[in-house]
Amino acid sequence: MSLNQIERAQGLRVRSTQDLAGGLFMMFLALVALLYSWDLSSGTLRQLGPGMLPKAFAVICGVLGVMLALGSLRYQGEALSGWSWKGIIFVLGGACLFALTIRGFSIGPIEVPALGLLVSGPLLILYSGLAADDLNKKQLVIFAIAMSAACIALFKYALSLPIPLAPWLLGI
């Protein structure tokens, strides 16, 4: 029996559960994006409406999800494995930490002052960097300083966005 005959005899079966799960998730994400952008006007190609980009990205995401799911039936791949909870906790936690500290917040008796981009930027990078398995603290600190300087130069000065830099120190 040739390999093609063996494949035909086995029929359609999932050969890469990881690709199938990724494809199904992308299709679900596309469906949610289409539902939320349904009421937005798409406009025309000459004058784009506010719904054109979300709908286009949703369609592209859905098509890629279908291609990935169909590819999981044809090509051998990895089995679905567990998630790295360390990465999820530190990366999402870093984003939440940045959002809470850049402008400050108060919830009942808890009050955090606005720290600005000067402190929140490096804090985000240092906290999110803890998710790496091959953590090098010296490189992480250098990267945090360089990225924060680049973000300050880009967002505060080049784009003139109203992002607080260091309200606790400079008042800006």
Side-chain angles (χ1 to χ4, degrees):
M1 233 180 187
S2 71
L3 187 59
N4 288 337
Q5 290 173 333
I6 293 172
E7 285 183 357
R8 267 190 247 116
Q10 289 178 345
L12 286 178
R13 66 181 182 90
V14 177
R15 297 189 174 139
S16 174
T17 54
Q18 188 172 10
D19 287 349
L20 179 65
L24 292 175
F25 178 74
M26 287 177 69
M27 287 186 276
F28 173 74
L29 190 65
L31 182 66
V32 169
L34 275 175
L35 288 175
Y36 276 109
S37 65
W38 191 259
D39 293 335
L40 297 174
S41 169
S42 296
T44 64
L45 288 178
R46 284 184 177 236
Q47 190 170 0
L48 301 178
M52 180 68 81
L53 193 63
K55 288 176 185 173
F57 281 152
V59 168
I60 291 169
C61 184
V63 168
L64 290 175
V66 168
M67 289 171 54
L68 188 61
L70 289 176
S72 72
L73 301 174
R74 176 78 178 132
Y75 303 106
Q76 196 68 25
E78 294 185 29
L80 191 60
S81 59
W83 292 4
S84 170
W85 289 103
K86 180 182 174 185
I88 293 171
I89 290 170
F90 282 114
V91 172
L92 288 178
C96 292
L97 187 65
F98 178 80
L100 293 174
T101 57
I102 190 153
R103 294 199 185 266
F105 74 97
S106 64
I107 300 175
I110 301 171
E111 187 171 330
V112 174
L115 298 177
L117 193 55
L118 191 64
V119 174
S120 296
L123 191 63
L124 161 72
I125 295 169
L126 292 173
Y127 188 79
S128 297
L130 295 175
D133 291 330
D134 56 345
L135 179 65
N136 184 337
K137 293 178 183 174
K138 182 179 177 183
Q139 288 178 349
L140 186 61
V141 169
I142 293 169
F143 181 68
I145 292 169
M147 281 300 295
S148 297
C151 287
I152 289 169
L154 174 67
F155 295 118
K156 186 69 177 176
Y157 297 111
L159 296 175
S160 299
L161 294 178
I163 296 176
L165 184 59
W168 50 272
L169 178 66
L170 305 172
I172 57 171

